[in-house]
Amino acid sequence: MQQDVENLPIDIHFNKLLDWLIDRRHCKQQWQAASLIVREKINAALKDMPENEELAKLLEGTYINYFHCEKIVEILKGTSAGEKNIFGQYSSQKMKDWNDIIRIYEKDCMFLAETAQMIMRNVTYEIPALKKQIAKCQQVQKECDKKEADYVSKAAELKKKYSNSCKELGIKGDKIKSELAALVQDLPKVFDDVATRTQQLTVALKYYQDFRSFLLNSDVQDSDCLPMLRFIQQKGNTVTYEWKHGCKPVHIQEASVVIDTKDEDDVVVEDGADIDWGDLNGNTNEVNVDAEIDFDISGITIESGGTDEGKGAIDIEVEQLGEEIDWGDTEVESTQKSSVSDEGTATGEEALTILDNPATRNLFLDDLVELEAFLNQRLVDLSGEGNILASSQFQNAPASIQIEAKQVETMATDLRNIIAQLTSVQNQHLMLIRDSPRYVERLKDTLKSTLTLADKMIFYQKETISRRHDMEKEERELLPKLEVLVKRTKEMQKQMEGEISKRYKNRPVNIMGEINII
């Protein structure tokens, strides 16, 4: 029976190991004072260590304890430091220092208390902290991969947006103001072409007039039916003075449009351009690469440039990437102010052509839209189940209004082409530039803001890559430390189990708890 008791294992939880040793008087409760003395002696002894590969490997990446000191003494015995004098004592001061350290450790079994505390600290704090840091590095790497893909996608979208906007404006985008200024010079040719193409609408205009005359049972005078469209068909894109006064001016004083293109830099689009954005929070002029950066881009909305009338080339909403840009007054300011002119002399607005003058151009567009609405309604009537021409109301209608839907569709197509040419995105912007030369500066800034955002996306991408590399490097450095710490903790566990077993007649000793699953 006594033999069975002696073979029973001793199970000690690692977290209670130090208390267990003190309670059973294997070491004193005031062991910390001796431990501080040992630490000082170890630090002093380590400064004068011989060059030895085995010693370097033993001391690398670990906290020196009693069992390390024993191994150091064994290694030193095989070197010149292990030589003894004629009295059988070590002549080397190194050996004396390390033997002195071991004697302090063994007094009152202080090394048992210190090793127990090391095991508790490693299992409870050190190893979990390293694992947590490694897991954080891995998580940040995954987030950086996702953010990098987002930044690449956003930068590509913004550059495509810039390219599409320039394409709609009819420019390359290298020198925006100069290219727009060149296009403005061609605007009169566009107006003349539109005026020439209105001759295609003669049949549609006659159709509209006859239809009105038939329904109203009266002769509609030319001046009552789309007067601006009819005037341009007859006179062409003449000056506004002739439209207002009914005669050509003797002299025309037209103010020229001046667009300042001096000192305009080339707009350069480069992938990965090195740009110093400074502190994104506006505090300093430096960017802290090591700090954790949250490049959230959820507030950036990219809308593709449209071709609807009155829609700008670029609409960008920025919520997270800087202050809102104040473009000032965005209303079109006409520099061509009308003035009192001498008799027979066209000045100010009267010196502008009808399609170049915003007021008369809108009247012309109104006539086109009115005619388009009429033709669209006629198409609906003619393509319905009951053809309106078959009704009794139109049996006595003139042949000029009893036409097929195909002919009306041809008229409507020609009309839509003219409206599309006059209201295209490119021409809309050119007209705004013509009416207000300051608009070209705002348009340039709006276009360049798209490239600025694209450059920021590239900057954020590079910062994300740099941060991911830092996390990869940190993980590579932490993994060996964790491996060494786990290995040394397991060694101390076995050494402590052996030391305790010696004091209990070699009974098996098991240190239990989380130490077995680290």
Side-chain angles (χ1 to χ4, degrees), residues 251-267:
H251 182 65
I252 299 176
Q253 295 181 355
E254 182 180 0
S256 60
V257 178
V258 179
I259 299 176
D260 183 14
T261 59
K262 295 181 180 179
D263 301 328
E264 183 183 13
D265 297 331
D266 290 342
V267 179

mmCIF file of all heavy atoms in Angstrom, residues 251-267:
data_model
loop_
_atom_site.group_PDB
_atom_site.id
_atom_site.type_symbol
_atom_site.label_atom_id
_atom_site.label_comp_id
_atom_site.label_asym_id
_atom_site.label_seq_id
_atom_site.Cartn_x
_atom_site.Cartn_y
_atom_site.Cartn_z
ATOM 1 N N HIS A 251 -22.590 98.536 -89.229
ATOM 2 C CA HIS A 251 -21.290 98.178 -88.650
ATOM 3 C C HIS A 251 -21.513 97.247 -87.459
ATOM 4 O O HIS A 251 -22.495 97.384 -86.728
ATOM 5 C CB HIS A 251 -20.560 99.457 -88.208
ATOM 6 C CG HIS A 251 -19.200 99.192 -87.635
ATOM 7 N ND1 HIS A 251 -18.162 98.672 -88.375
ATOM 8 C CD2 HIS A 251 -18.713 99.380 -86.369
ATOM 9 C CE1 HIS A 251 -17.101 98.544 -87.608
ATOM 10 N NE2 HIS A 251 -17.417 98.971 -86.391
ATOM 11 N N ILE A 252 -20.578 96.309 -87.293
ATOM 12 C CA ILE A 252 -20.682 95.347 -86.182
ATOM 13 C C ILE A 252 -19.453 95.489 -85.296
ATOM 14 O O ILE A 252 -18.322 95.383 -85.763
ATOM 15 C CB ILE A 252 -20.776 93.892 -86.704
ATOM 16 C CG1 ILE A 252 -22.021 93.716 -87.575
ATOM 17 C CG2 ILE A 252 -20.790 92.912 -85.535
ATOM 18 C CD1 ILE A 252 -22.115 92.337 -88.196
ATOM 19 N N GLN A 253 -19.679 95.754 -84.004
ATOM 20 C CA GLN A 253 -18.608 95.836 -83.020
ATOM 21 C C GLN A 253 -18.725 94.629 -82.081
ATOM 22 O O GLN A 253 -19.361 94.686 -81.041
ATOM 23 C CB GLN A 253 -18.692 97.144 -82.220
ATOM 24 C CG GLN A 253 -18.462 98.392 -83.058
ATOM 25 C CD GLN A 253 -18.531 99.654 -82.226
ATOM 26 O OE1 GLN A 253 -18.834 99.618 -81.044
ATOM 27 N NE2 GLN A 253 -18.263 100.802 -82.869
ATOM 28 N N GLU A 254 -18.090 93.555 -82.460
ATOM 29 C CA GLU A 254 -18.194 92.321 -81.682
ATOM 30 C C GLU A 254 -17.019 92.221 -80.714
ATOM 31 O O GLU A 254 -15.859 92.375 -81.108
ATOM 32 C CB GLU A 254 -18.197 91.097 -82.601
ATOM 33 C CG GLU A 254 -18.354 89.781 -81.846
ATOM 34 C CD GLU A 254 -18.360 88.593 -82.782
ATOM 35 O OE1 GLU A 254 -18.251 88.803 -84.006
ATOM 36 O OE2 GLU A 254 -18.452 87.461 -82.294
ATOM 37 N N ALA A 255 -17.326 91.997 -79.446
ATOM 38 C CA ALA A 255 -16.281 91.837 -78.426
ATOM 39 C C ALA A 255 -15.687 90.438 -78.544
ATOM 40 O O ALA A 255 -16.412 89.448 -78.676
ATOM 41 C CB ALA A 255 -16.852 92.046 -77.023
ATOM 42 N N SER A 256 -14.374 90.352 -78.507
ATOM 43 C CA SER A 256 -13.698 89.050 -78.629
ATOM 44 C C SER A 256 -13.654 88.331 -77.284
ATOM 45 O O SER A 256 -13.623 88.967 -76.227
ATOM 46 C CB SER A 256 -12.276 89.248 -79.153
ATOM 47 O OG SER A 256 -11.528 90.068 -78.273
ATOM 48 N N VAL A 257 -13.650 87.012 -77.347
ATOM 49 C CA VAL A 257 -13.567 86.183 -76.144
ATOM 50 C C VAL A 257 -12.097 85.888 -75.872
ATOM 51 O O VAL A 257 -11.397 85.331 -76.712
ATOM 52 C CB VAL A 257 -14.342 84.861 -76.328
ATOM 53 C CG1 VAL A 257 -14.215 83.994 -75.083
ATOM 54 C CG2 VAL A 257 -15.806 85.152 -76.617
ATOM 55 N N VAL A 258 -11.623 86.293 -74.689
ATOM 56 C CA VAL A 258 -10.214 86.119 -74.328
ATOM 57 C C VAL A 258 -10.123 85.068 -73.225
ATOM 58 O O VAL A 258 -10.724 85.217 -72.153
ATOM 59 C CB VAL A 258 -9.587 87.442 -73.842
ATOM 60 C CG1 VAL A 258 -8.122 87.212 -73.453
ATOM 61 C CG2 VAL A 258 -9.698 88.500 -74.920
ATOM 62 N N ILE A 259 -9.390 83.998 -73.509
ATOM 63 C CA ILE A 259 -9.163 82.931 -72.528
ATOM 64 C C ILE A 259 -7.682 82.910 -72.193
ATOM 65 O O ILE A 259 -6.837 82.717 -73.071
ATOM 66 C CB ILE A 259 -9.607 81.558 -73.072
ATOM 67 C CG1 ILE A 259 -11.112 81.593 -73.373
ATOM 68 C CG2 ILE A 259 -9.296 80.450 -72.082
ATOM 69 C CD1 ILE A 259 -11.618 80.310 -74.006
ATOM 70 N N ASP A 260 -7.365 83.108 -70.910
ATOM 71 C CA ASP A 260 -5.966 83.167 -70.488
ATOM 72 C C ASP A 260 -5.393 81.758 -70.416
ATOM 73 O O ASP A 260 -5.812 80.947 -69.593
ATOM 74 C CB ASP A 260 -5.875 83.840 -69.109
ATOM 75 C CG ASP A 260 -4.426 83.996 -68.659
ATOM 76 O OD1 ASP A 260 -3.530 83.841 -69.513
ATOM 77 O OD2 ASP A 260 -4.210 84.273 -67.456
ATOM 78 N N THR A 261 -4.461 81.448 -71.274
ATOM 79 C CA THR A 261 -3.817 80.125 -71.283
ATOM 80 C C THR A 261 -2.341 80.221 -70.948
ATOM 81 O O THR A 261 -1.585 79.288 -71.216
ATOM 82 C CB THR A 261 -3.987 79.469 -72.666
ATOM 83 O OG1 THR A 261 -3.394 80.310 -73.669
ATOM 84 C CG2 THR A 261 -5.448 79.246 -72.995
ATOM 85 N N LYS A 262 -1.920 81.347 -70.382
ATOM 86 C CA LYS A 262 -0.509 81.517 -70.041
ATOM 87 C C LYS A 262 -0.147 80.636 -68.840
ATOM 88 O O LYS A 262 -0.960 80.434 -67.940
ATOM 89 C CB LYS A 262 -0.212 82.976 -69.711
ATOM 90 C CG LYS A 262 -0.378 83.918 -70.893
ATOM 91 C CD LYS A 262 -0.052 85.342 -70.490
ATOM 92 C CE LYS A 262 -0.221 86.298 -71.674
ATOM 93 N NZ LYS A 262 0.068 87.694 -71.283
ATOM 94 N N ASP A 263 1.078 80.149 -68.837
ATOM 95 C CA ASP A 263 1.640 79.377 -67.721
ATOM 96 C C ASP A 263 0.796 78.163 -67.375
ATOM 97 O O ASP A 263 0.687 77.760 -66.215
ATOM 98 C CB ASP A 263 1.770 80.263 -66.465
ATOM 99 C CG ASP A 263 2.654 81.468 -66.723
ATOM 100 O OD1 ASP A 263 3.587 81.346 -67.536
ATOM 101 O OD2 ASP A 263 2.394 82.520 -66.116
ATOM 102 N N GLU A 264 0.173 77.581 -68.396
ATOM 103 C CA GLU A 264 -0.605 76.366 -68.135
ATOM 104 C C GLU A 264 0.319 75.154 -68.229
ATOM 105 O O GLU A 264 0.963 74.915 -69.240
ATOM 106 C CB GLU A 264 -1.748 76.209 -69.137
ATOM 107 C CG GLU A 264 -2.602 74.979 -68.833
ATOM 108 C CD GLU A 264 -3.701 74.776 -69.874
ATOM 109 O OE1 GLU A 264 -3.633 75.428 -70.928
ATOM 110 O OE2 GLU A 264 -4.582 73.957 -69.627
ATOM 111 N N ASP A 265 0.371 74.372 -67.141
ATOM 112 C CA ASP A 265 1.212 73.184 -67.124
ATOM 113 C C ASP A 265 0.500 72.029 -67.788
ATOM 114 O O ASP A 265 -0.733 71.962 -67.823
ATOM 115 C CB ASP A 265 1.554 72.796 -65.675
ATOM 116 C CG ASP A 265 2.371 73.875 -64.982
ATOM 117 O OD1 ASP A 265 3.109 74.576 -65.705
ATOM 118 O OD2 ASP A 265 2.249 74.021 -63.757
ATOM 119 N N ASP A 266 1.308 71.096 -68.302
ATOM 120 C CA ASP A 266 0.734 69.879 -68.877
ATOM 121 C C ASP A 266 0.090 69.054 -67.792
ATOM 122 O O ASP A 266 0.600 68.940 -66.671
ATOM 123 C CB ASP A 266 1.815 69.046 -69.566
ATOM 124 C CG ASP A 266 2.323 69.721 -70.842
ATOM 125 O OD1 ASP A 266 1.603 70.607 -71.333
ATOM 126 O OD2 ASP A 266 3.409 69.358 -71.306
ATOM 127 N N VAL A 267 -1.059 68.476 -68.122
ATOM 128 C CA VAL A 267 -1.721 67.553 -67.207
ATOM 129 C C VAL A 267 -1.118 66.177 -67.424
ATOM 130 O O VAL A 267 -1.293 65.577 -68.480
ATOM 131 C CB VAL A 267 -3.245 67.516 -67.446
ATOM 132 C CG1 VAL A 267 -3.892 66.522 -66.494
ATOM 133 C CG2 VAL A 267 -3.826 68.900 -67.257
#
